[in-house]
Amino acid sequence: MRGFLSFYFLLLATPLAAQQHTPGMQHTPGMQHDGPATAPSQAGQAAFAAITQVVRVLEADSSTDWSRVDLEALRQHLIDMDLVTLRSRVRQQPVPGGLAMEVTGEEEVAGAIRRMVGMHARVLPGAGPWRATASEIADGMRLVVTAVEPADAAVVARIRGLGFIGMMTEGEHHAEHHLMLARGMGMGH
């Protein structure tokens, strides 16, 4: 699995334009090419690009069980990520040793917040020197992250500096999580 994940991360670092021919592209005699650096490196909108990358990984893996592949689950998760990232309201309050964050939104956004924040709170302790708890509130979730050593000023400053959206990025599970969703292996938020 480790070798496969290394391949996946290498794929993510490689511009998609260098991996595939763009249909409809006209080449004429004498046409100058500056190389892949001038070509787009992302296959469109961010969620579409993420799905494209996962499809390329699935296609490159001869053990992919296409009868289980569920790209719709990945698409729904990316919708949740978009809603939480761009449409939620966040109220942050310093607490001893860390930060309390109230994350709320309208009905559809509140659902995405509940699906993502509670699950992410479970993986946060493995991602850094902190503890995390999440609880449901009206229209969303309350996330509290505190340093394992509350007197460690550097960790407390890091938690507060990262804030809600920074804490949501913590952990090296995101790419693997997306691939597992696409493979039909659950792991949904």
Side-chain angles (χ1 to χ4, degrees):
M1 182 70 164
R2 180 170 284 242
F4 175 76
L5 289 177
S6 296
F7 168 76
Y8 178 68
F9 289 114
L10 177 64
L11 179 68
L12 290 177
T14 304
L16 286 174
Q19 298 173 22
Q20 59 195 25
H21 173 71
T22 305
M25 194 172 191
Q26 298 293 326
H27 290 87
T28 58
M31 188 173 176
Q32 294 294 319
H33 292 278
D34 291 331
T38 60
S41 63
Q42 189 176 37
Q45 184 264 359
F48 185 83
I51 293 168
T52 298
Q53 290 177 331
V54 167
V55 167
R56 298 298 171 259
V57 169
L58 295 172
E59 289 174 336
D61 182 1
S62 62
S63 70
T64 296
D65 180 354
W66 289 98
S67 68
R68 294 191 61 186
V69 169
D70 187 357
L71 293 172
E72 182 59 22
L74 175 57
R75 189 179 82 84
Q76 290 302 316
H77 173 66
L78 294 171
I79 291 169
D80 280 354
M81 288 181 73
D82 184 71
L83 291 170
V84 170
T85 301
L86 301 175
R87 307 242 172 125
S88 63
R89 294 181 300 275
V90 180
R91 200 176 105 227
Q92 301 180 143
Q93 177 79 29
V95 295
L99 189 65
M101 298 148 273
E102 291 187 357
V103 187
T104 59
E106 302 303 320
E107 186 176 325
E108 183 181 26
V109 177
I113 292 165
R114 289 187 179 115
R115 285 186 291 277
M116 289 189 62
V117 174
M119 291 295 290
H120 195 67
R122 294 181 196 157
V123 300
L124 272 174
W130 41 63
R131 296 183 180 99
T133 59
S135 55
E136 199 168 308
I137 59 174
D139 299 324
M141 297 287 283
R142 183 171 199 262
L143 176 65
V144 179
V145 181
T146 56
V148 171
E149 297 294 331
D152 187 334
V155 173
V156 173
R158 181 175 168 197
I159 292 167
R160 292 176 180 167
L162 285 168
F164 169 69
I165 200 61
M167 293 307 301
M168 291 299 288
T169 70
E170 288 295 308
E172 295 297 325
H173 69 284
H174 294 98
E176 182 178 357
H177 169 67
H178 291 172
L179 189 56
M180 298 303 248
L181 279 170
R183 287 187 182 280
M185 300 174 140
M187 291 183 62
H189 276 319

